[in-house]
Amino acid sequence: MTDENRVLSGIPRQRNRPGWARTDPIDELARELDEFVAAAVHPDEIAALLESDGLSDDRIRERYGVEDSFALAERLYDRTPRRHPEPAGPPADPWRIGLLGCLLRGVLFALPGFAYVLGAPLLAGPHDTGGLPAGTRTLLAGALCGWAWNQGLAHRAYSWLGLGDRPAARRCLLTGAPAGMLLGTLVALAVAGPGHPAQVAFAAGQSCYLGASGALLVMGRERILLAALGPLAAGGLVSLAHPLPGPAALALLLTSLTAVAVLGLLEAAPGIRDVKKIRDVKRRGERAGTPARAPGPALLASLPYAVFGLGTGVLVLYAALGDLLAGGTGHGVPSAVALTLSMGPAEWLLYRFRSRALAALRGSGTPRAFRRATVLALAGCLAVYLAALLALALATTALQPDAPGQAGPRLAGLLMLGVVLWTGLLLQSFGAVLGATAVCCAAALAQTLALALHAGRPHLVALVVYTAAAAAQSALVCHRLGRATAHR
């Protein structure tokens, strides 16, 4: 007798389990597939796994006593509690961006202001109508035209970049930027008239800079643009302490302008070769009978962004020249500088809001909870931006002793304008540009009419208009961005 068959005395032989006590085969299968079944969001996922393992409907009926794989999957899904495992490591955040790069863009937006200091000899002469400094209307007309045109052009170029077609973005800038320069110069000439060639020349340089710098910024060449503005910035800083001789100031101004124009042209120049290649490919395609290339972004899609640039440009100019346009003697250069520099933190906070909204999508279990998290994120980002704008306003005012103090309605109006600009940019970043454009243009029109009709003190009018616009856009933001579908 072998050891395997030997029966020890006093130890009873183990009995087989009765049929009624056998484990349910579906429970056994549920234990085997526990991790997959617990993480499934629908029984069909389990059915697909069963079929991929080779379980036919006949074997399922014989072994598990159910009709088919879908019925078995439903049984497994019902018997297993839901357990969705957390992803390994921190989740990816596509909206994370460095603060330094955004601050650099804010500085880049402000540095061209030194051009008006160095180019003052070109603007000498009697005051414009309404007591404005010489050349103000000419430069304002050219600037507004440039802001509107380049805002729309940048949207179209970014649309091409979003489609992954960098050569098309260059071609867009290559044709659009010179057209904007010419248009801005013609508008300035129409406002100034033929008797002010120096003013028109300065406005032409302004339009040239707006077009070329816009091309560099769209293509991500901020550091190159900063280097090109070096002579202008150095001359402007020196002239604040001690005025430079006219020829030296103009030389520095032209050096930076030429550098920016050449760099912008070199950035867009590869588009010339691309145009030739496309023409050759198109000719060959027509001979071969191949279908035409798919159309790009619609031209009219960029129009609201151009109008948005015009509306916000008018609001910013009123913040800088509100007193002068109303016949006063003060000026708001510190306010304009503070708003311009604040665009750096504003851009970073736009990304920060997108990042927090994405975290709210992952962590919220109900639409109400997501809406509450979004509103809290909006309030936090807006509070940080207003704190930065307030600090910049106070600092720029302190650096210019002869400027009017930032107090009372002036400071409150500046902060409300900051709310309008930041919420407008936020809506624009989500594609809700029509609402932001309508509010900003309505505010610009209301302020223009109030100043033309002398409806009140300029800064009180500005405070009322900006507060109404800020409330309207904040409501639009909460209504649109409180829905999870807006954050796809």
Side-chain angles (χ1 to χ4, degrees), residues 204-206 208-209 212 228-229 232 252-262:
Q206 175 183 258
C208 180
Y209 173 81
L229 291 175
L232 174 67
L252 291 173
L253 177 60
L254 289 175
T255 299
S256 284
L257 178 60
T258 304
V260 173
V262 171

Side-chain angles (χ1 to χ4, degrees), residues 439-456:
V439 172
C440 290
C441 289
L445 180 60
Q447 191 169 7
T448 301
L449 292 176
L451 291 174
L453 299 175
H454 302 284

Side-chain angles (χ1 to χ4, degrees), residues 195-219:
H196 302 86
Q199 296 179 14
V200 175
F202 192 96
Q206 175 183 258
S207 298
C208 180
Y209 173 81
L210 289 174
S213 64
L216 291 172
L217 289 172
V218 168
M219 303 306 292

